[in-house]
Amino acid sequence: MKTQVAVLVTEPRPAARRRVPLLTTVGASLGLLVLLTIVIGPWLIGQDPYAIDIGNRFAGPGGAHWLGTDELGRDVASRIAYGARATALIAVGAVAIATAIAIPLGVLTGFLGGWVDLVVTRVVDLFFAIPSLLVAIGVIGLFGASVTTTVLALGLSYWPFYTRLIRSAVVGLRSRPNVDAARVLGASRLRVIRTEILTGLVPLVLVQTTVLLGFAILDEAALGFLGLGVQPPQASWGSRLAESREFILVHPELALVAGVPIVLAVFAMNLLSDSLRDRLDAKRTG
Amino acid sequence: MNDVKTAETVLRVRDLAVEFSLRGSVARAVDGVGFEVRAGEIVGMVGESGSGKSVTMLALLGLVPRPGRVVAGSVRLRDIELGALSLRELARLRGRQMALIPSDAGAALNPVTRIGSQVGEGLAAHLPELPRAERPARILDILKRVGLPRPEQQVRRYPHELSGGMQQRVAVAMGVQLGPDLLIADEPTTALDVTIQAQILQLLLDVREQSGTSILFITHDMTTVAEICDRVLVMYAGQIVESGPVVDVCTAPAHPYTRALLDAIPPLGGDPPERLTTIPGAPPDPRAWPAGCRFAERCRLREQLGNPDKCTSLAPELASDGAGRRSRCHFTGSAAEAVVR
Amino acid sequence: MLRYALGRVLLAVPLLFGLSVLSFVYVRLIPGDPVTAMLGVNSNPTVVAQLREQFGLDRPLPGQYGDWLAGVLRGDFGVSFRSQMPISTIIVDRIPATLQLAGAGLVVSLLIAIPAGVAAGMRPGSRLDSLITSATLFGLAVPAFFLGTLLMLLFALTLHLVPSQGYVPFADDPAQSLRLTLLPALTLGLAISPYLARLTRSAVVEVAQEPFVPFARAKGLAPRKISVGYVLRNALPSLVAALGLTVASLMAGSIVVEALFNWPGTGRLVTGAVTERDYAMVEALLLIYGGLFIVVNLVCELAQSLLDPRVRLT
């Protein structure tokens, strides 16, 4: 009699890990698509995003207007392509501001500890207590809605959370043996920060940059939708939403077309940050 | 329990093999393990970490975690072939016919559930016909049986409010409350102080005495095996390398690995030895078991025999001596032993 | 436990105080003068002076703050620069609508996120897990207004199952009120559930690694009993704490959803006050939203410790 094969556990074997996961490929392709839209999109479409043609309002897709025209007869495709530039600029600017505040503050508090840490952490807690969209709206309330305020508003609404993250990472890095070793070998604080702490932060900052870029694109759009972001007629993904919102009951397709690039761009950022995190985690655990 | 040898077989394992496939490579953590446990018997399973003893235990319970998988063999409890059961039938059997006593009860008890209701979960799952009103009495009864002091108070407590020894008693209570045929004790004393260890071992002996439960006792400690087991299985590199009655194995080990394990125990009484023997080297990689004997690299006997080719070229069989002892070594017993002495 | 609770409450007090200072200073940060900023540079100087006096803007700052805070503690947030009505009256008027939306949205998101997070977290790395994880990554990329527009297009404008926009107080017409709540609540709930599902998943993954989970299996307990009574129950404390932080997304989301569905809640007040430069109103709303967030998180932290018997002794 043959030996009976007992399969006591029915879970399927996981598929062998592919070198590059499918989701990373999707994310990278979408990211590339967005990048192409920003760089060569306006040129490729070849339409003026500000040319009004009242006689040709709400035209469907086709002909010279790939995605049709909006409520003023402007070319939707080129408004999205030009808008992509503005939105990308805003997102990058906002992340730069948040990073410029978070890294020095996080490193300072996390590395030094003591009363500096205590005071700054309390202030961060305070700002953390206000939902970030509200912080952004508050800033816009102060200076009025514009491209510059949107950058500032988003940058200022991300720093509390980012500072917390950097601080706890620095606290973790500070207690590593290589930092102790550097201190024992007589390296100055500044040198330790430069060689051990800052280099140790690189993975976290890389991941957070992609995460925050995604947030910033979403929030620029949300502010635009509320009429508090980039103001029409200036093209941006957010202002495009503000324009389309007025006609949402009669021409909801305009709002949908305006939303699709946002979804794709943010999805790309989420996929990239997720696979980046996986990869860096894998590296850390060996 | 003196007539263990003639008692009926409770657990019969044949050619059990478990594989873990990770990133393209396959590790055969358990490779052709076969043994029996008879009614009322305490069988020790000894081995270093990574020897396959824990995976064997999980395979018996049908709980090998992903990505591991039982690829061959048969596990038979009384007359039930476990491999033929559905997941649901297997779950119904676990905790009732076959129960586990965990290695660290403090971590294995649900931290947010009171002791009483936690013990009651097993009753609710396996004895739904038992009226709810009768559960508290059953719970107190079993806690009394395992010697938990003041059980009426303990049932209302949370696990973290109990001492380690009390937690382990609760875990034993959960294991024995439904009168299982087989108790699997997974290093049940490693997390405890020495005095408490002795109490828990005594408790296991009492359980066997009272209800004739068979116990598979998993440990890395030869001393504990010598204290409470009737028979012992020595595992190395996913295989059983020696098995037999505890007294025989401990006094005259047949396999060089068993001998090395015994040599590593500090002797009681007398002068302390100059140095304890340790086993040099590390166990082989389960993703690429060596062709010959898996212990060859670390084997002192092989060295003393002048490194015969047979050790590295031919895998030894688990040979039986016809009197209940088995050993997996080309040079076991007679001639070779004589040469070394 | 009582000491722990008291300590937590005491920690929240300076935070609330800081928030009040921040909201107060905020309005005084406005370049130039709030009244001029509101009325425009070419406004009548006598009107400006009159308004400044009315709002107490001509007095020293600490005095202004003291009066303002005393008023706030009595529930008096002053008068709206714009409508000249008491701010508290305006806000109290709007609160039921926002609570109805946020509550229903939270229920929707919990119904989606908890099962999804538990299913994914119980078997990390499985096919179901990667499916759910990818879905949350996509869900995080879908803005609430986009989702809401889609739902509106589908259920209101195409299938005509529910009205597209509007609000009726629940007390006036419960059935119609619920019908109108459906789409906004679904939008808000779907928008938040990816966050919540991810939080649930990571809490569940952590608990599922604890030795008591395989031991529960070895005891032969039913899978449902294990995932609910063991895994979810032990993940609950950290989930409740995470829920407190999700309130921020709930607030932000409701501002957008209210705008999309023309829902007369406090979120509309926020956007309205900022566009109309009604600074006293912005000040009050910052304080209320921030204060609510602090209090909700305090409650969640206390609930977290109540749910974990191990905290009680410390």
Side-chain angles (χ1 to χ4, degrees):
Chain A
M1 212 175 151
K2 282 192 175 171
T3 336
Q4 188 175 0
V5 175
V7 181
L8 296 179
V9 174
T10 56
E11 276 119 323
R13 257 192 241 213
R17 251 193 125 103
R18 265 172 260 173
R19 284 256 168 257
V20 181
L22 177 70
L23 288 179
T24 311
T25 321
V26 174
S29 322
L30 283 176
L32 198 68
L33 186 71
V34 173
L35 206 64
L36 283 177
T37 311
I38 293 166
V39 178
I40 61 166
W43 168 79
L44 203 66
I45 295 162
Q47 292 277 347
D48 181 353
Y50 296 101
I52 294 174
D53 180 4
I54 293 293
N56 195 18
R57 302 169 68 196
F58 302 120
H65 302 297
W66 297 0
L67 295 176
T69 61
D70 67 4
E71 66 283 354
L72 295 174
R74 295 172 300 193
D75 180 59
V76 170
S78 77
R79 282 196 71 75
I80 287 174
Y82 278 95
R85 289 185 173 176
T87 299
L89 205 71
I90 289 171
V92 170
V95 175
I97 289 180
T99 313
I101 301 175
I103 292 187
L105 266 189
V107 169
L108 200 72
T109 53
F111 193 76
L112 293 182
W115 65 269
V116 179
D117 183 28
L118 208 72
V119 171
V120 177
T121 306
R122 286 284 154 265
V123 175
V124 172
D125 281 351
L126 178 57
F127 276 91
F128 200 74
I130 310 172
S132 64
L133 190 67
L134 223 61
V135 174
I137 289 177
V139 174
I140 289 158
L142 283 182
F143 303 112
S146 74
V147 173
T148 335
T149 356
T150 310
V151 174
L152 196 67
L154 294 183
L156 289 180
S157 68
Y158 298 147
W159 77 268
F161 135 83
Y162 202 0
T163 306
R164 265 195 182 182
L165 219 57
I166 300 262
R167 181 186 168 277
S168 61
V170 170
V171 170
L173 287 170
R174 195 183 54 182
S175 54
R176 283 217 193 145
N178 57 339
V179 173
D180 287 340
R183 293 300 295 271
V184 170
L185 290 173
S188 70
R189 279 182 175 182
L190 216 61
R191 194 181 151 74
V192 172
I193 288 179
R194 217 175 51 223
T195 56
E196 309 295 338
I197 304 283
L198 287 184
T199 48
L201 283 177
V202 169
L204 173 75
V205 171
L206 272 178
V207 171
Q208 283 311 310
T209 302
T210 44
V211 169
L212 285 180
L213 280 176
F215 279 177
I217 295 172
L218 272 181
D219 287 342
E220 190 271 335
L223 288 175
F225 176 78
L226 293 174
L228 302 174
V230 176
Q231 295 297 303
Q234 192 173 1
S236 93
W237 286 356
S239 69
R240 183 66 217 118
L241 284 166
E243 293 161 357
S244 63
R245 188 180 142 203
E246 315 230 339
F247 306 92
I248 202 147
L249 293 180
V250 261
H251 289 286
E253 73 279 1
L254 281 179
L256 291 182
V257 168
V260 168
I262 298 168
V263 175
L264 293 183
V266 180
F267 189 40
M269 287 302 153
N270 290 351
L271 288 176
L272 288 178
S273 63
D274 213 54
S275 55
L276 209 57
R277 192 177 296 142
D278 278 354
R279 191 150 302 189
L280 296 169
D281 278 354
K283 203 182 268 176
R284 195 163 39 211
T285 51
Chain B
M1 297 299 132
N2 295 328
D3 50 351
V4 169
K5 276 175 191 161
T6 54
E8 75 177 295
T9 303
V10 170
L11 176 77
R12 175 179 295 157
V13 180
R14 289 258 179 282
D15 301 313
L16 184 70
V18 182
E19 285 184 356
F20 285 80
S21 36
L22 251 183
R23 307 207 175 157
S25 62
V26 175
R28 199 170 248 246
V30 175
D31 191 6
V33 165
F35 62 93
E36 288 177 3
V37 179
R38 288 184 281 268
E41 197 182 21
I42 301 185
V43 175
M45 183 178 266
V46 200
E48 301 168 78
S49 42
S51 62
K53 60 183 196 306
S54 306
V55 180
T56 304
M57 169 195 85
L58 292 171
L60 298 184
L61 290 161
L63 290 175
V64 176
R66 285 153 41 85
R69 194 163 84 93
V70 174
V71 291
S74 128
V75 177
R76 193 172 264 274
L77 185 70
R78 298 263 182 211
D79 42 11
I80 310 163
E81 175 59 49
L82 301 194
L85 297 183
S86 69
L87 279 185
R88 176 181 280 215
E89 291 167 323
L90 199 59
R92 213 173 291 153
L93 185 132
R94 284 197 293 259
R96 183 161 196 174
Q97 271 117 306
M98 178 166 55
L100 174 73
I101 297 174
S103 56
D104 181 0
L109 296 177
N110 188 350
V112 297
T113 310
R114 294 172 202 271
I115 297 298
S117 22
Q118 209 161 156
V119 176
E121 282 171 358
L123 292 177
H126 296 292
L127 280 184
E129 66 275 14
L130 182 76
R132 197 174 269 267
E134 287 177 28
R135 269 187 223 156
R138 282 281 295 252
I139 293 165
L140 281 179
D141 184 51
I142 190 68
L143 290 177
K144 242 173 256 165
R145 254 182 66 201
V146 298
L148 191 72
R150 298 181 309 282
E152 306 78 17
Q153 290 168 33
Q154 315 297 358
V155 287
R156 285 193 304 272
R157 291 186 154 180
Y158 288 97
H160 72 274
E161 297 170 318
L162 269 56
S163 71
M166 277 153 71
Q167 289 169 344
Q168 198 66 48
R169 282 181 194 275
V170 171
V172 173
M174 294 166 110
V176 300
Q177 65 175 342
L178 291 159
D181 294 319
L182 177 71
L183 260 185
I184 301 177
D186 175 23
E187 313 213 13
T189 58
T190 29
L192 303 172
D193 292 343
V194 186
T195 46
I196 313 289
Q197 277 186 14
Q199 291 175 13
I200 297 294
L201 291 181
Q202 186 57 49
L203 175 61
L204 291 177
L205 286 171
D206 293 346
V207 164
R208 190 260 300 261
E209 208 59 47
Q210 286 165 14
S211 25
T213 313
S214 311
I215 302 176
L216 180 63
F217 192 95
I218 292 161
T219 180
H220 60 266
D221 180 12
M222 262 317 225
T223 335
T224 324
V225 169
E227 276 174 55
I228 75 157
C229 295
D230 304 312
R231 278 195 307 126
V232 61
L233 311 163
V234 181
M235 295 223 20
Y236 185 79
Q239 296 176 325
I240 292 178
V241 292
E242 174 164 6
S243 71
V246 167
V247 185
D248 300 354
V249 171
C250 287
T251 48
H255 196 279
Y257 176 65
T258 316
R259 170 166 298 260
L261 274 183
L262 289 167
D263 284 348
I265 305 171
L268 273 178
D271 296 326
E274 305 245 316
R275 54 186 294 255
L276 288 171
T277 326
T278 53
I279 311 175
D285 185 350
R287 285 169 299 184
W289 295 125
C293 173
R294 293 179 185 177
F295 188 59
E297 280 295 306
R298 307 168 74 186
C299 185
R300 252 181 87 206
L301 179 64
R302 170 169 169 257
E303 205 177 300
Q304 286 159 341
L305 290 173
N307 296 335
D309 283 345
K310 206 175 171 187
C311 287
T312 46
S313 59
L314 185 67
E317 293 291 322
L318 188 59
S320 173
D321 72 345
R325 291 194 65 178
R326 296 183 297 171
S327 167
R328 195 184 284 278
C329 177
H330 293 306
F331 300 97
T332 288
S334 57
E337 291 282 311
V339 170
V340 178
R341 300 249 160 120
Chain C
M1 180 60 213
L2 199 67
R3 260 180 96 176
Y4 173 82
L6 264 174
R8 283 281 133 195
V9 172
L10 284 181
L11 265 180
V13 170
L15 218 53
L16 285 168
F17 175 74
L19 181 70
S20 75
V21 174
L22 200 69
S23 320
F24 176 80
V25 169
Y26 166 76
V27 174
R28 277 77 196 168
L29 274 178
I30 295 158
D33 173 82
V35 177
T36 328
M38 184 176 79
L39 298 180
V41 191
N42 300 325
S43 48
N44 185 340
T46 42
V47 177
V48 169
Q50 193 192 332
L51 274 175
R52 282 183 60 84
E53 202 192 326
Q54 188 186 332
F55 293 118
L57 293 172
D58 49 353
R59 295 189 298 122
L61 280 182
Q64 281 186 43
Y65 174 72
D67 288 353
W68 177 73
L69 190 63
V72 165
L73 291 177
R74 286 195 313 269
D76 173 14
F77 289 87
V79 176
S80 158
F81 284 7
R82 190 56 72 176
S83 69
Q84 306 287 328
M85 290 212 329
I87 290 174
S88 47
T89 320
I90 303 178
I91 292 179
V92 165
D93 224 36
R94 302 286 193 114
I95 283 179
T98 289
L99 280 186
Q100 185 174 337
L101 172 62
L106 188 62
V107 169
V108 169
S109 69
L110 287 175
L111 286 179
I112 299 169
I114 301 287
V118 171
M122 284 298 283
R123 287 179 164 197
S126 69
R127 200 164 290 186
L128 185 67
D129 177 35
S130 5
L131 193 76
I132 291 173
T133 303
S134 321
T136 58
L137 283 179
F138 184 72
L140 284 175
V142 180
F145 47 80
F146 184 73
L147 195 71
T149 310
L150 269 179
L151 293 176
M152 193 193 284
L153 183 63
L154 184 65
F155 292 108
L157 303 179
T158 311
L159 297 174
H160 301 287
L161 290 176
V162 281
S164 57
Q165 287 181 325
Y167 167 76
V168 174
F170 187 76
D172 293 3
D173 181 355
Q176 182 64 6
S177 178
L178 287 182
R179 268 162 59 80
L180 283 164
T181 316
L182 212 61
L183 279 188
L186 200 60
T187 307
L188 187 57
L190 280 170
I192 297 165
S193 47
Y195 292 94
L196 217 50
R198 285 174 80 84
L199 291 172
T200 310
R201 181 188 176 275
S202 61
V204 165
V205 165
E206 200 170 301
V207 172
Q209 287 168 345
E210 299 275 353
F212 54 75
V213 176
F215 184 52
R217 290 209 177 94
K219 285 188 290 186
L221 301 185
R224 176 178 290 267
K225 168 81 185 162
I226 294 172
S227 48
V228 176
Y230 280 71
V231 178
L232 194 57
R233 177 61 188 82
N234 276 283
L236 206 56
S238 44
L239 270 182
V240 167
L243 202 61
L245 295 177
T246 317
V247 169
S249 318
L250 202 63
M251 288 172 173
S254 71
I255 294 178
V256 171
V257 171
E258 285 181 13
L260 177 65
F261 288 97
N262 224 345
W263 191 265
T266 46
R268 304 289 294 133
L269 282 183
V270 174
T271 20
V274 171
T275 357
E276 292 170 358
R277 299 178 170 250
D278 189 345
Y279 293 108
M281 182 65 101
V282 177
E283 183 180 54
L285 287 167
L286 272 181
L287 189 62
I288 288 173
Y289 270 89
L292 193 67
F293 188 62
I294 293 173
V295 171
V296 166
N297 274 288
L298 175 67
V299 171
C300 285
E301 270 182 50
L302 293 179
Q304 180 189 15
S305 62
L306 275 178
L307 285 169
D308 191 340
R310 283 164 294 186
V311 180
R312 280 185 197 162
L313 286 179
T314 55

